[in-house]
Amino acid sequence: MSADEHPARGSEAQARGDWAGARAADEAALALDPAHLPSLVDLGVVRYWLRDHDGAAELFVAALRRRPADRAIAVNLARAYEDGMRPAAAERLWRALIADDPADSGARYHLGNALMWRSRQEEAIRAYADALARAKGPARAQAWKTYVNAHLYAAGAAPETIRDLAAAYAAELAPDRSPPPWDTVPDPERPLRVGYVTSYLRAHSAARSFDALFEHADRARFSIRVYHDSDVDDPVTAKFRARCEGWRTTFDLDPPALARAIREGRIDVLVTMAQHFDRNRIDPALHRAAPVRINAFDVATSGTDAYDAFLADPTMAAARGDAFTERVVRLRTGYVHPPLDVAPPVARPPSASGAPVAFGSANNPAKISSATIRLWADALRAVEGSTLRLKFHSAYREKEVRDGLSARFAAQGVAQDRVVFELGGIGTEDHLRFYERIDVALDTFPFTGSTTTFEALWMGVPVVTRAGTTVVSRWSTGLLARIGRRALSAGDDAGFVDLAVREAANAKFQDREALRQAVRGSVLCDGRRQARDFERVYRALWRRWCAKARP
């Protein structure tokens, strides 16, 4: 068989979702002809979808050497760089593609993504705005959503600004016609079908905070259906699927089709999870796919009247009420995380052995805003000899990324050798050992930590945060309040620095095991209580709808 015959087999395997078969066919072709262009490209695509982004990039580079002017190959390479946490390489290539075709909205959108990874939020917002001005169809909807979300990360966006942007985005997505009536019985006390719409029931940190709603669901009163908007199907997905009475993978459904699927599932209470992010959707709410619609685990208002409630805890949703278009329901619980029993034992703070104080953050670099850099630099200057350790998977693998951040700290008077970049470890335990190397965790602003804050606290490391007026700027404050450590949250920049100085001075006296036990015994780890709280809201909103629906 010649090399030319294998790609057809690989394409057939891809169409079946048989990535292993596709890889085998392409590798067989390249064994016969290592420079076979179709197989280089096809195997690159296969490796990309198998999350081997570096392997995919290597193949696309080889393909471009054979066909330098092929734009499609260049786009594939830029995507591999972007998703493989090589944003500097991605930025260069996206800029070259834009120069070649200024009308390409997709290249401008992905340039924004690369800039976010490089902690350059204001530039990213401009790139998303450029993409939005040129995009059409589904690409425009994605550009709109990401443009709105980017403002959550940048300093200076008021809650009302976020609301107005979200409202404009939702207005563009709204269906042209009124939805049909629901085929349901308005019985306030009957068992309810709850539908969860999300893309996060997979190996993703957000899945941990959803776990209790499935594990501790009252099956006699609530049955669970999931509309999973992801093409990933991993062991975490399988665990959630086993806890449901119904499951549908919906990433290939357009908004009307998804709404029809939910209606056909006779869902009573629809819960969209973290709809502002990634592939999570607002569409089902805009299409009124169920009688009761709830916005949960989200970081900002939807900007519409399509939801019956926005669920949050009292601290996170303490922002001004006019920043929400939904009715805000403040729960005793909100964010809950299962105990991290795979974590290593807590360790002594580094400064307890006489080392200089080490601050640190494992937050997403997209959260490291200009305001964050100023706060952290102020703290470093205030604590003589202190260092700052940064880590997020392999986000700092490129020297250009490290040098770019170091230069921004240098502009704030912090020497380059005081900022230390780490590459991520493999596995949860190795990741959590990062906290053995720092004394105090410094939070980002205005988009504060969530899972990262929980992990630091679980490892016994105090987290210094700064609360603002948006929900995302109060997330860490909400977690701290629920373990009795609200005093670690500052209300302004000066207060943040004062807290960092205080915690640095006290670092050698930390009782890290006591902090871990405070987290374990708090509502942050009470999944059963979270499930009951959510279900009480489901029932109350259902009863209210029934009262309005009955003649």
Side-chain angles (χ1 to χ4, degrees):
M1 181 180 290
S2 71
D4 289 332
E5 296 176 83
H6 286 283
R9 292 190 173 188
S11 297
E12 292 172 3
Q14 283 190 41
R16 298 192 304 269
D18 178 11
W19 296 107
R23 180 173 57 191
D26 291 322
E27 288 174 345
L30 291 172
L32 294 170
D33 179 3
H36 191 253
L37 183 62
S39 296
L40 286 171
V41 175
D42 286 351
L43 184 56
V45 171
V46 170
R47 287 189 176 175
Y48 175 88
W49 286 109
L50 291 174
R51 274 74 180 171
D52 177 12
H53 299 114
D54 287 350
E58 182 180 345
L59 289 159
F60 294 140
V61 167
L64 274 178
R65 289 197 189 104
R66 290 185 56 79
R67 190 177 289 173
D70 193 312
R71 186 177 181 86
I73 298 174
V75 167
N76 283 338
L77 176 58
R79 290 291 301 272
Y81 284 152
E82 180 183 323
D83 293 343
M85 292 192 175
R86 296 166 71 179
E91 180 188 348
R92 287 193 297 274
L93 193 45
W94 289 123
R95 289 192 186 280
L97 288 164
I98 292 168
D100 180 64
D101 181 4
D104 186 344
S105 65
R108 293 177 183 275
Y109 170 81
H110 285 285
L111 173 62
N113 291 346
L115 292 167
M116 288 295 288
W117 277 115
R118 299 199 64 183
S119 308
R120 289 154 55 187
Q121 297 83 4
E122 288 78 10
E123 292 177 71
I125 288 172
R126 291 195 291 273
Y128 293 137
D130 288 343
L132 182 58
R134 294 165 173 82
K136 298 178 181 179
R140 179 173 173 80
Q142 186 62 36
W144 244 124
K145 178 177 182 176
T146 312
Y147 174 69
V148 174
N149 293 349
H151 286 78
L152 297 169
Y153 294 84
E160 293 79 11
T161 300
I162 304 298
R163 177 201 61 203
D164 293 345
L165 289 170
Y169 162 61
E172 188 155 323
L173 291 183
D176 295 332
R177 63 186 66 183
S178 298
W182 301 283
D183 182 16
T184 189
V185 178
D187 178 349
E189 305 306 324
R190 66 171 174 81
L192 298 178
R193 288 190 174 199
V194 177
Y196 291 112
V197 180
T198 183
S199 66
Y200 282 161
L201 303 186
R202 51 188 170 86
H204 189 285
S205 59
R208 303 179 200 170
S209 59
F210 305 155
D211 190 74
L213 299 181
F214 291 76
E215 180 181 0
H216 299 294
D218 183 346
R219 302 293 176 175
R221 303 178 68 221
F222 301 91
S223 63
I224 294 176
R225 270 73 177 168
V226 166
Y227 299 87
H228 197 226
D229 213 45
S230 173
D231 57 351
V232 176
D233 195 328
D234 59 22
V236 175
T237 308
K239 181 189 73 171
F240 278 101
R241 187 188 295 114
R243 294 171 172 173
C244 300
E245 285 72 38
W247 181 284
R248 181 157 181 183
T249 301
T250 59
F251 71 90
D252 57 345
L253 299 183
D254 64 17
L258 176 57
R260 285 195 300 272
I262 294 169
R263 283 178 174 271
E264 290 166 2
R266 300 173 67 86
I267 298 302
D268 301 308
V269 177
L270 184 71
V271 184
T272 64
M273 295 169 151
Q275 62 88 9
H276 271 87
F277 293 107
D278 298 329
R279 297 182 67 165
N280 299 318
R281 298 208 201 185
I282 191 176
D283 315 326
L286 296 175
H287 284 256
R288 269 68 172 179
V292 173
R293 301 165 301 279
I294 296 173
N295 187 3
F297 299 99
D298 210 0
V299 294
T301 180
S302 66
T304 79
D305 62 358
Y307 286 101
D308 297 283
F310 180 101
L311 304 191
D313 86 346
T315 304
M316 297 174 188
R320 295 183 293 277
D322 59 357
F324 295 92
T325 55
E326 310 91 338
R327 173 191 181 190
V328 179
V329 177
R330 295 173 172 84
L331 302 173
R332 294 177 298 171
T333 58
Y335 177 93
V336 167
H337 196 296
L340 284 172
D341 292 327
V342 299
V346 299
R348 294 181 69 213
S351 62
S353 300
V357 168
F359 294 113
S361 174
N363 273 296
N364 187 328
K367 297 182 179 182
I368 303 177
S369 65
S370 55
T372 298
I373 290 173
R374 286 195 300 272
L375 285 172
W376 290 356
D378 288 348
L380 286 164
R381 291 196 309 271
V383 180
E384 184 177 357
S386 61
T387 59
L388 173 67
R389 305 186 76 90
L390 299 178
K391 171 184 170 296
F392 186 80
H393 301 293
S394 58
Y396 303 114
R397 63 190 295 194
E398 293 176 296
K399 184 176 185 299
E400 192 172 342
V401 170
R402 299 192 300 272
D403 288 349
L405 274 173
S406 293
R408 294 170 71 182
F409 278 99
Q412 298 290 326
V414 176
Q416 183 173 347
D417 61 358
R418 295 181 68 185
V419 181
V420 181
F421 299 94
E422 296 192 11
L423 295 183
I426 299 174
T428 301
E429 180 177 351
D430 193 42
H431 159 65
L432 293 173
R433 289 194 181 279
F434 169 74
Y435 294 101
E436 298 174 356
R437 300 188 288 277
I438 69 172
D439 293 283
V440 179
L442 298 183
D443 205 2
T444 46
F445 182 84
F447 201 129
T448 62
S450 178
T451 301
T452 304
T453 299
F454 180 89
E455 290 173 344
L457 295 171
W458 186 264
M459 293 303 295
V461 177
V463 179
V464 174
T465 191
R466 191 255 200 247
T469 56
T470 57
V471 174
V472 289
S473 69
R474 306 181 66 82
W475 204 278
S476 288
T477 301
L479 271 60
L480 291 167
R482 278 180 273 163
I483 64 168
R485 300 295 197 278
R486 178 69 181 266
L488 287 168
S489 174
D492 55 29
D493 293 356
F496 179 94
V497 176
D498 289 345
L499 285 175
V501 171
R502 185 193 74 186
E503 292 304 312
N506 294 331
K508 64 183 68 176
F509 307 113
Q510 290 171 2
D511 186 343
R512 293 191 165 187
E513 184 60 34
L515 182 53
R516 173 177 287 188
Q517 294 311 316
V519 175
R520 184 188 291 276
S522 75
V523 71
L524 280 181
C525 292
D526 193 345
R528 189 178 301 277
R529 182 174 176 179
Q530 182 199 40
R532 298 292 84 76
D533 279 355
F534 272 65
E535 289 171 354
R536 275 191 287 272
V537 172
Y538 299 165
R539 180 63 65 180
L541 292 174
W542 174 253
R543 287 169 177 158
R544 188 175 73 166
W545 179 81
C546 288
K548 294 178 180 178
R550 284 180 297 191

